[in-house]
Amino acid sequence: MDKEERKTINQGQEDEMEIYGYNLCRWKLAIVSLGVVCTGGFLLLLLYWMPEWRVKATCIRAAVRDCEVVLLRTTDEFRMWFCAKIRFLSLETHPFLNPKSMTNKVANGHAVHLTENLAEENRHEMNKYSQTQPQQVRYFTHHSVKYFWNDTLHNFDFLKGLDEGVSCTSIYEKHSAGLTKGMHAYRKLLYGVNEITVKVPSVFKLLIKEVLNPFYIFQLFSVILWSTDEYYYYALAIVIMSIVSIVSSLYSIRKQYIMLHDMVAAHSTVRVSVCRVNEEIEEIFSTDLVPGDVMVIPLNGTVMPCDAVLINGTCIVNESMLTGESVPVTKTNLPNPSVDIKGMGDEFYSPEIHKRHTLFCGTTVIQTRFYTGELVKAVVVRTGFSTSKGQLVRSILYPKPTDFKLYRDAYLFLLCLVAVAGIGFIYTIINSILNETGTLTEDGLDLWGIQRVENTRFLLPEENVCNEILVKSQFVACMATCHSLTKIEGVLSGDPLDLKMFEAIGWILEEATEEETALHNRIMPTVVRPAKQLLPESTPAGNQEMELFELPAIYEIGIVRQFPFSSALQRMSVVARVLGDKKMDAYMKGAPEVIASLCKPETVPVDFEKVLEDYTKQGFRVIALAHRKLESKLTWHKVQNISRDVIENNMDFMGLIVMQNKLKQETPAVLEDLHKANIRTVMVTGDNMLTAVSVARDCGMILPQDKVIIAEALPPKDGKVAKINWHYADTLTQCSNSSAIDSEAIPIKLVHDSLEDLQVTRYHFAMNGKSFSVILEHFQDLAPKLMLHGTVFARMAPDQKTQLIEALQNVDYFVGMCGDGANDCGALKRAHGGISLSELEASVASPFTSKTPSISCVPNLIREGRAALMTSFCVFKFMALYSIIQYFSVTLLYSILSNLGDFQFLFIDLAIILVVVFTMSLNPAWKELVAQRPPSGLISGALLFSVLSQIIICIGFQSLGFFWVKQQPWYEVWQPQSDACNTTRSLYWNSSHLYNESNVDTHNIQNYENTTVFFISSFQYLIVAIAFSKGKPFRQPCYKNYFFVVSVMILYVFILLIMLHPVASIDQVLQIVCVPYQWRITMLMIVLVNALVSIMVENFFLDMVLWKVVFNRDKQGEYRFTSTQPPQESVDRWGKCCLSWALRCRKKIPKAKYMYLAQELLVDPEWPPKPQTTTEAKALVKENGSCQIITIT
């Protein structure tokens, strides 16, 4: 076998990895050991940090099937390396099974899909596979997942449960009876313990891991370096700060581990009942569950310890841990294709597709409904880290590395500093040799009214549904039964829309108690009935006895079977029976278009589409109802096993329920703020298209004068290619509560060569989820253009929301997503910035969680984010200047074989730098969201110019002081007896004179140049801190940062005091020498001029001249050649070019794809598409998505 082979595991998945095989090489290990000794352990550290180097340095390549160590590399953009040791699972001591046959089975990877008939399966595997060492199975563990060697695939593969490749039929026929004890023991050996383990590392382990961080290793070398140079106090300060940092980091990391451990450990081990093959009920710990076990769900509910598919009964489940919604969800048993009257085909079971029948790990079963004599059962399909909760925990334990541009720029920034330091190092050596980084509307819907259908015609809209006339109508019966409501502790709970509908009719819902259910031969249905006052009063006949009259006229409806709402199907249905009726009724509700398509055409009014359009244009949410009488041959037992497809067809259309969803009060104002800041907003919703367009108009996302172009894409059919029909929606009169937003128009046509003279109009594209999918598949060239002005995306499924985020990112937009965490998890994860409006565990899907469920958090987050970004830039710039100022101070002093003193370094680093860095980052965000964008990276024109200009200024003034002091008439090469202040003839006696008589300055710290450079550089640190601490437009002014102001003032006063009026003890500690008072005034003048020049350059030249002229920004932060958003990197190229080239750069093609597209579309006469035209995909060149526009005549 090829020793250089490379295999791929988890192919096509998010965690796809390349795998390489290696065997330990003794001679390589010996050489590395010698290298470790020779380098004093540094090589060992390097190999610890680099797993790829560690494996390659100690091992040789081998075939993957025979290797001892595997090297893994992710295939994503990060290309991260991991290594794992091959281990062996021994099966020879298994007491229940034939070891040879079972080992063959596992080793060949066929424990992936386990079946009931064990003996037959074993014989099949023995005949097909063989292995040299049948008692051992090779595997390795990576990120809490075991990968076993699979001879069939000739690769490693993780052990799957019953969630892949298992048909719905086989779940009933082969897995519903349970496992034998032998099979259970065998599977437990393979799958391991059913637990999601979050081990809290010991303090010692965390300490070792933290100490071996490259940063602390660098600090260690720094301490050694400073100590060898006899800067003991400075070295001690580094040690103390490092210890404080390590302790703080250890506390934070351990606290997070403990918190995650406690969250996962809650309810992790409980006692559960499982069914065995002989119908015996066995009680075991949940940690012993394996795929294939049949778990009995207790009556009083439980927290699910695994993922299981329901095969008997019904459960009410709280899935807030996964979805973020605490609304109870009804889970029904998995449809059994073998007993369905009109079988739906033998489809494969999937937890995602069949999530309405799956109980997920970590979710809470609140109640169960069951058959007498038949328990509520579920077949375990996944355990441990393979469960939905396990995958969530794994994503927390092993997150993908962040790839912020700031981090990349920070590394580049550090490399630049290293280069500067290298130059200084070379200079020092030479010198020594010579001299020595749905949310827009209210949460609830209000029932606006209903519009029933009679004789295939719409009646007039009715506002009041709760009346005697309608109480026994099929329309109200549908509203009373077609829902997923349930009572939890006596309180009606469920979907808010269902609650509003049920409350509108004023009916009562009753559920059977545990005792009532046990008395009957069948499951007790949920019963709904009208309140007594709603029933029409009956008067007794003259000859009727009073006793007969006193018996109430009972009208009740029992809900026999429920088919829960499916977002994919956009509907739900129930089978119900009126008390006393022989035939059952089927009721269905859902999206009007879907319901109408499932009804008899003759029952749907001819003006259905027009009426629906009228409602949706006004922003109402419309739900359609349908009904039909079922055949008398359908018994209760048959209904329990029937497919929903058999029920949901050939219905009678009954009419529409019209719901009003009012805008949240803050929505228009928030969107107006975003528009003013030139931040584009896009609506992604599950509602009807016209409803979404109406809401977009009402909230100001689409202005009254704007055009809305609806893209209706149709897939290929009957040999015809895919096509897009373009329709222009009517411009509606804006509602009274809409927001008129004064924003700039989007130029779409050029009438002159000049970019300044544009004939402008605004247009928006709107489409539904089906059209969006067709466009992505068949019109790849057109999709980016639609992303440029797509505003409304309706009827979008969860995966389509994620695809939309990706499509916007593909044209270089930076995308923020605001969702409720229910169906938005994928999109929230994919967006650059995801905001969850749910505080529950689903907020794990997004980096930000809002405490208030409204979009008002969006501008706040952007303001805070921009302020944080500018603060980061501010700190980076300050640290760069600090490094350069101190570096240049040392370089100047090295030229005279001097340096800064030990306590001078300590004063600068602790008293000045540490205090300033901490306080300058406390500026709060600016109160308004502005159109101007901050630079996106450290390597951008404005920031580079800012840093370079301040470096030049500081170097200039420091050099001025250094060389000017040598020109003074009193200057001489300083000696301990030097007396430039004439201290022997005055009452003033410099402390340094006394100090120097008894202490020899072996390092030549005390001299006039040192004192001059120390004072000037100390002021320069404070000057650049003030210059860089800019406020508006992203942060509050620095004078509102009171901690910073007070800190800087105290430092200024202190340095001025010791410079103008020296204190003997302080001079002695800082090793400052006496200089004439006139030179002290001269230094003060140098500092004042330095401050004036630095602040003028930073705040006037850079902000008011360079930013607007060179970088071509107008008052709102936009480029004048286009009105689309400037990309975050739009100014970055200026930092890498000279000024003259930058002035001509306006005419060059923008980097961002969407800006390039905007420029292209400006001169495209065929864009936007004309009304009533069709775009067809070219059949011959399907792969590149080319298309042509054909005008329909």
Side-chain angles (χ1 to χ4, degrees):
M1 187 174 290
D2 183 11
K3 289 190 176 183
E4 298 300 316
E5 67 177 340
R6 178 185 67 186
K7 295 186 178 294
T8 303
I9 59 175
N10 304 329
Q11 197 157 10
Q13 300 178 31
E14 192 176 359
D15 55 349
E16 181 181 280
M17 292 179 290
E18 295 172 350
I19 181 170
Y20 306 85
Y22 284 86
N23 283 337
L24 193 64
C25 179
R26 296 187 183 280
W27 65 266
K28 279 191 171 186
L29 188 60
I31 292 176
V32 168
S33 300
L34 181 63
V36 169
V37 173
C38 294
T39 58
F42 182 74
L43 179 59
L44 188 62
L45 276 173
L46 196 62
L47 296 180
Y48 170 78
W49 295 328
M50 310 291 289
E52 178 197 5
W53 293 6
R54 181 166 74 249
V55 172
K56 290 183 177 180
T58 58
C59 302
I60 56 174
R61 284 298 298 271
V64 175
R65 70 166 295 155
D66 302 317
C67 63
E68 298 172 353
V69 177
V70 289
L71 190 60
L72 307 165
R73 183 174 70 173
T74 60
T75 57
D76 55 18
E77 66 272 24
F78 303 106
R79 296 284 186 174
M80 294 185 65
W81 290 92
F82 303 94
C83 63
K85 186 178 180 181
I86 297 295
R87 300 183 184 276
F88 294 89
L89 180 65
S90 177
L91 298 177
E92 10 176 68
T93 56
H94 194 277
F96 298 101
L97 302 169
N98 180 341
K100 184 176 181 180
S101 61
M102 292 313 300
T103 309
N104 287 338
K105 176 178 182 298
V106 181
N108 288 295
H110 284 264
V112 174
H113 308 305
L114 302 166
T115 64
E116 165 73 19
N117 193 338
L118 185 59
E120 181 182 342
E121 185 179 272
N122 289 342
R123 285 195 300 270
H124 172 71
E125 299 300 336
M126 285 180 66
N127 292 334
K128 191 171 180 181
Y129 304 104
S130 63
Q131 192 166 337
T132 308
Q133 294 180 327
Q135 287 78 21
Q136 290 187 324
V137 184
R138 305 172 69 251
Y139 75 96
F140 69 89
T141 304
H142 174 68
H143 286 178
S144 300
V145 175
K146 285 183 179 179
Y147 293 85
F148 288 86
W149 177 254
N150 185 327
D151 263 346
T152 306
L153 301 176
H154 297 291
N155 198 357
F156 283 96
D157 195 14
F158 67 91
L159 203 59
K160 302 177 181 69
L162 300 179
D163 55 320
E164 288 187 34
V166 180
S167 66
C168 296
T169 301
S170 68
I171 284 184
Y172 276 99
E173 294 181 353
K174 299 179 180 179
H175 300 283
S176 60
L179 301 175
T180 63
K181 289 186 178 181
M183 187 54 148
H184 175 271
Y186 164 67
R187 291 192 184 181
K188 186 180 176 185
L189 189 66
L190 289 176
Y191 287 96
V193 178
N194 172 37
E195 62 180 358
I196 302 169
T197 310
V198 178
K199 294 181 180 178
V200 179
S202 65
V203 175
F204 179 74
K205 284 186 177 179
L206 284 175
L207 178 63
I208 296 300
K209 187 176 180 181
E210 190 69 18
V211 166
L212 294 181
N213 186 293
F215 172 75
Y216 293 113
I217 299 299
F218 170 77
Q219 293 289 70
L220 176 63
F221 280 107
S222 298
V223 169
I224 295 171
L225 182 64
W226 288 107
S227 299
T228 54
D229 211 15
E230 298 182 15
Y231 282 79
Y232 300 116
Y233 291 107
Y234 193 68
L236 180 63
I238 294 176
V239 170
I240 293 173
M241 287 189 290
S242 297
I243 291 174
V244 171
S245 175
I246 289 171
V247 170
S248 172
S249 181
L250 285 181
Y251 174 78
S252 176
I253 293 172
R254 186 168 169 81
K255 184 180 177 182
Q256 290 174 1
Y257 267 111
I258 292 173
M259 184 172 65
L260 184 60
H261 174 270
D262 292 344
M263 183 187 82
V264 172
H267 311 290
S268 62
T269 304
V270 294
R271 295 192 73 87
V272 296
S273 297
V274 294
C275 299
R276 295 293 176 222
V277 173
N278 55 4
E279 297 186 0
E280 173 192 351
I281 303 294
E282 180 184 359
E283 193 172 84
I284 62 174
F285 284 108
S286 58
T287 51
D288 294 329
L289 288 172
V290 296
D293 269 330
V294 176
M295 178 181 170
V296 178
I297 311 298
L299 300 177
N300 55 353
T302 184
V303 176
M304 288 299 297
C306 59
D307 286 354
V309 58
L310 205 58
I311 57 171
N312 267 351
T314 304
C315 293
I316 308 297
V317 183
N318 184 339
E319 290 191 325
S320 60
M321 196 280 296
L322 294 177
T323 66
E325 294 182 345
S326 55
V327 175
V329 179
T330 302
K331 300 281 186 171
T332 59
N333 61 297
L334 182 73
N336 187 353
S338 62
V339 297
D340 279 347
I341 291 176
K342 221 172 144 184
M344 59 188 202
D346 195 8
E347 63 176 328
F348 285 107
Y349 166 74
S350 166
E352 294 303 317
I353 298 173
H354 300 96
K355 61 183 178 182
R356 283 289 184 177
H357 315 293
T358 305
L359 305 174
F360 293 102
C361 180
T363 59
T364 305
V365 178
I366 304 171
Q367 290 179 0
T368 61
R369 299 179 185 178
F370 58 95
Y371 307 98
T372 302
E374 289 191 38
L375 302 173
V376 178
K377 300 176 185 177
V379 176
V380 177
V381 293
R382 294 186 298 202
T383 57
F385 278 101
S386 297
T387 62
S388 51
K389 181 179 179 181
Q391 292 168 7
L392 181 63
V393 173
R394 282 183 64 222
S395 68
I396 300 171
L397 287 174
Y398 314 107
K400 273 196 169 184
T402 49
D403 187 32
F404 291 133
K405 190 173 185 295
L406 180 64
Y407 291 167
R408 300 195 301 271
D409 289 347
Y411 285 124
L412 189 57
F413 163 77
L414 291 174
L415 284 176
C416 293
L417 292 184
V418 168
V420 172
I423 295 170
F425 178 69
I426 295 170
Y427 163 76
T428 303
I429 293 175
I430 295 173
N431 193 50
S432 299
I433 292 173
L434 299 177
N435 307 301
E436 277 192 74
T437 232
T439 53
L440 305 176
T441 52
E442 295 285 357
D443 291 337
L445 288 159
D446 294 323
L447 184 67
W448 179 84
I450 63 172
Q451 191 158 10
R452 294 183 295 138
V453 171
E454 283 188 6
N455 301 323
T456 326
R457 290 186 178 182
F458 277 112
L459 301 179
L460 292 175
E462 301 169 76
E463 185 177 344
N464 183 20
V465 193
C466 185
N467 58 60
E468 294 181 0
I469 300 173
L470 297 176
V471 69
K472 290 191 177 183
S473 67
Q474 296 290 3
F475 194 96
V476 170
C478 184
M479 294 178 67
T481 58
C482 200
H483 53 70
S484 58
L485 301 178
T486 186
K487 279 193 174 180
I488 299 175
E489 295 181 357
V491 179
L492 201 61
S493 303
D495 185 90
L497 185 145
D498 288 344
L499 273 172
K500 284 286 183 183
M501 286 174 50
F502 194 77
E503 288 169 358
I505 59 175
W507 281 41
I508 298 168
L509 182 142
E510 293 178 348
E511 290 181 334
T513 63
E514 207 172 295
E515 294 79 12
E516 290 172 332
T517 306
L519 291 173
H520 292 76
N521 220 357
R522 59 182 67 179
I523 187 170
M524 285 289 292
T526 297
V527 174
V528 291
R529 58 180 176 81
K532 288 184 179 179
Q533 63 268 26
L534 291 177
L535 291 171
E537 295 182 4
S538 56
T539 55
N543 60 351
Q544 192 174 22
E545 295 182 4
M546 191 56 116
E547 290 81 30
L548 190 63
F549 168 68
E550 286 174 351
L551 292 174
I554 299 175
Y555 179 68
E556 291 181 348
I557 305 176
I559 303 173
V560 178
R561 177 82 190 274
Q562 182 187 98
F563 299 99
F565 176 78
S566 165
S567 56
L569 300 176
Q570 298 181 349
R571 64 181 184 268
M572 78 163 292
S573 59
V574 294
V575 176
R577 173 182 279 170
V578 177
L579 185 64
D581 280 10
K582 292 182 179 179
K583 292 184 178 180
M584 296 185 189
D585 297 275
Y587 297 104
M588 180 170 62
K589 74 172 182 184
E593 310 94 319
V594 175
I595 300 299
S597 67
L598 297 172
C599 291
K600 302 172 187 172
E602 61 271 18
T603 65
V604 180
V606 291
D607 58 345
F608 163 75
E609 292 183 358
K610 181 181 181 302
V611 171
L612 176 61
E613 184 177 348
D614 289 342
Y615 281 125
T616 53
K617 277 184 177 178
Q618 297 175 61
F620 292 114
R621 183 171 180 181
V622 183
I623 298 167
L625 305 184
H627 159 264
R628 77 177 171 97
K629 279 282 183 183
L630 298 177
E631 299 83 355
S632 56
K633 65 179 181 180
L634 276 180
T635 63
W636 184 89
H637 285 290
K638 287 182 179 179
V639 167
Q640 297 308 314
N641 296 308
I642 201 168
S643 163
R644 71 185 300 166
D645 294 334
V646 177
I647 299 294
E648 296 173 345
N649 67 77
N650 207 31
M651 309 282 279
D652 294 330
F653 190 82
M654 291 200 300
L656 305 172
I657 297 175
V658 185
M659 311 290 286
Q660 188 175 24
N661 203 183
K662 298 177 182 177
L663 281 176
K664 289 181 179 178
Q665 189 174 1
E666 64 272 16
T667 296
V670 170
L671 292 176
E672 184 174 4
D673 288 343
L674 294 174
H675 278 89
K676 284 181 178 178
N678 291 323
I679 294 173
R680 182 180 158 199
T681 51
V682 174
M683 180 189 295
V684 188
T685 177
D687 282 346
N688 175 278
M689 166 97 61
L690 295 177
T691 300
V693 171
S694 175
V695 172
R697 287 190 182 277
D698 289 345
C699 67
M701 194 176 285
I702 299 176
L703 300 182
Q705 67 271 18
D706 295 352
K707 297 288 184 185
V708 177
I709 307 170
I710 297 177
E712 180 192 11
L714 303 174
K717 189 178 181 181
D718 300 331
K720 296 181 180 179
V721 296
K723 62 181 180 179
I724 305 175
N725 296 323
W726 307 99
H727 308 286
Y728 277 50
D730 295 333
T731 303
L732 300 177
T733 304
Q734 196 76 341
C735 298
S736 59
N737 63 342
S738 62
S739 169
I741 298 174
D742 182 20
S743 62
E744 294 185 336
I746 297 179
I748 64 168
K749 290 288 175 290
L750 274 177
V751 292
H752 300 292
D753 291 336
S754 171
L755 291 169
E756 315 298 338
D757 304 321
L758 297 172
Q759 177 184 356
V760 297
T761 184
R762 283 178 63 103
Y763 63 93
H764 306 262
F765 288 107
M767 67 193 76
N768 59 27
K770 292 180 180 177
S771 296
F772 178 72
S773 294
V774 172
I775 290 169
L776 286 187
E777 184 177 355
H778 300 281
F779 298 89
Q780 291 93 341
D781 288 352
L782 201 57
K785 298 179 182 180
L786 293 174
M787 292 303 104
L788 206 62
H789 295 295
T791 301
V792 176
F793 296 86
R795 296 285 193 223
M796 295 286 279
D799 58 330
Q800 290 172 335
K801 293 180 182 180
T802 305
Q803 291 171 349
L804 175 62
I805 299 290
E806 291 172 344
L808 289 167
Q809 291 172 336
N810 286 340
V811 291
D812 293 345
Y813 276 116
F814 280 77
V815 186
M817 169 75 182
C818 190
D820 58 9
N823 295 318
D824 304 320
C825 287
L828 288 169
K829 283 183 179 180
R830 185 66 63 186
H832 290 104
I835 308 174
S836 171
L837 300 184
S838 165
E839 288 191 79
L840 298 169
E841 286 88 339
S843 60
V844 172
S846 60
F848 301 102
T849 302
S850 172
K851 290 185 177 179
T852 54
S854 73
I855 64 167
S856 59
C857 61
V858 174
N860 292 336
L861 179 64
I862 296 174
R863 287 190 303 105
E864 294 293 342
R866 289 178 172 182
L869 182 64
M870 292 309 296
T871 298
S872 299
F873 291 158
C874 172
V875 172
F876 265 110
K877 286 161 62 179
F878 177 74
M879 293 306 293
L881 262 296
Y882 150 65
S883 302
I884 296 297
I885 290 171
Q886 192 170 88
Y887 165 80
F888 195 72
S889 299
V890 172
T891 303
L892 285 175
L893 293 176
Y894 271 5
S895 68
I896 60 169
L897 297 181
S898 181
N899 200 353
L900 292 172
D902 200 350
F903 282 96
Q904 286 177 342
F905 275 120
L906 279 174
F907 175 76
I908 291 171
D909 286 3
L910 297 183
I912 299 180
I913 305 303
L914 192 63
V915 172
V916 168
V917 166
F918 176 74
T919 57
M920 77 187 305
S921 62
L922 300 178
N923 278 36
W926 184 246
K927 56 189 175 183
E928 295 176 2
L929 187 62
V930 297
Q932 185 176 326
R933 311 293 171 82
S936 66
L938 286 170
I939 315 301
S940 62
L943 294 179
L944 282 180
F945 183 86
S946 172
V947 170
L948 291 175
S949 61
Q950 293 300 326
I951 286 175
I952 293 170
I953 292 167
C954 290
I955 287 177
F957 282 98
Q958 206 173 129
S959 301
L960 175 65
F962 179 81
F963 292 110
W964 197 359
V965 71
K966 294 183 178 183
Q967 307 303 317
Q968 300 305 307
W970 45 265
Y971 175 80
E972 64 178 359
V973 176
W974 192 87
Q975 299 293 331
Q977 295 79 24
S978 297
D979 191 16
C981 300
N982 293 323
T983 56
T984 56
R985 296 193 299 270
S986 67
L987 296 176
Y988 173 77
W989 186 259
N990 192 354
S991 63
S992 64
H993 186 77
L994 285 173
Y995 177 78
N996 291 320
E997 287 181 347
S998 57
N999 294 275
V1000 179
D1001 186 9
T1002 56
H1003 293 283
N1004 190 27
I1005 302 300
Q1006 293 177 303
N1007 52 65
Y1008 300 121
E1009 292 91 338
N1010 171 285
T1011 300
T1012 301
V1013 168
F1014 171 73
F1015 279 123
I1016 292 177
S1017 65
S1018 295
F1019 278 109
Q1020 284 180 334
Y1021 298 126
L1022 300 177
I1023 290 168
V1024 294
I1026 293 172
F1028 289 156
S1029 295
K1030 289 184 285 189
K1032 192 177 178 181
F1034 306 115
R1035 304 197 304 165
Q1036 295 281 1
C1038 65
Y1039 59 78
K1040 288 194 175 183
N1041 183 352
Y1042 303 114
F1043 288 105
F1044 176 72
V1045 171
V1046 171
S1047 301
V1048 169
M1049 288 185 66
I1050 291 173
L1051 287 169
Y1052 264 125
V1053 170
F1054 178 78
I1055 300 171
L1056 275 173
L1057 176 67
I1058 63 174
M1059 186 176 78
L1060 298 179
H1061 298 283
V1063 178
S1065 58
I1066 295 176
D1067 283 0
Q1068 181 176 327
V1069 171
L1070 294 178
Q1071 296 177 270
I1072 298 172
V1073 301
C1074 179
V1075 293
Y1077 191 76
Q1078 182 182 359
W1079 180 244
R1080 297 174 189 273
I1081 298 299
T1082 302
M1083 285 192 293
L1084 179 60
M1085 297 304 298
I1086 291 173
V1087 167
L1088 290 175
V1089 176
N1090 186 348
L1092 181 64
V1093 173
S1094 291
I1095 292 173
M1096 288 290 290
V1097 168
E1098 184 69 21
N1099 292 279
F1100 176 76
F1101 184 73
L1102 180 66
D1103 288 353
M1104 301 183 67
V1105 178
L1106 195 71
W1107 187 261
K1108 291 184 179 180
V1109 177
V1110 179
F1111 298 115
N1112 197 30
R1113 291 266 188 161
D1114 63 12
K1115 291 182 181 179
Q1116 290 191 332
E1118 290 291 312
Y1119 283 87
R1120 284 183 288 191
F1121 64 80
T1122 180
S1123 69
T1124 55
Q1125 295 181 24
Q1128 297 295 334
E1129 291 88 358
S1130 54
V1131 298
D1132 293 357
R1133 61 180 180 270
W1134 304 106
K1136 302 168 186 175
C1137 309
C1138 63
L1139 190 62
S1140 59
W1141 178 87
L1143 290 170
R1144 298 192 301 270
C1145 202
R1146 291 174 56 185
K1147 299 179 182 179
K1148 292 188 178 291
I1149 298 173
K1151 274 188 176 182
K1153 291 179 184 177
Y1154 73 85
M1155 291 193 70
Y1156 174 74
L1157 280 172
Q1159 285 186 328
E1160 273 194 339
L1161 297 180
L1162 289 177
V1163 294
D1164 186 352
E1166 298 296 328
W1167 195 263
K1170 303 295 187 296
Q1172 305 304 318
T1173 58
T1174 297
T1175 301
E1176 291 187 352
K1178 287 184 179 178
L1180 297 178
V1181 198
K1182 188 179 291 186
E1183 63 275 4
N1184 64 1
S1186 300
C1187 46
Q1188 57 182 354
I1189 296 181
I1190 301 172
T1191 303
I1192 298 176
T1193 55

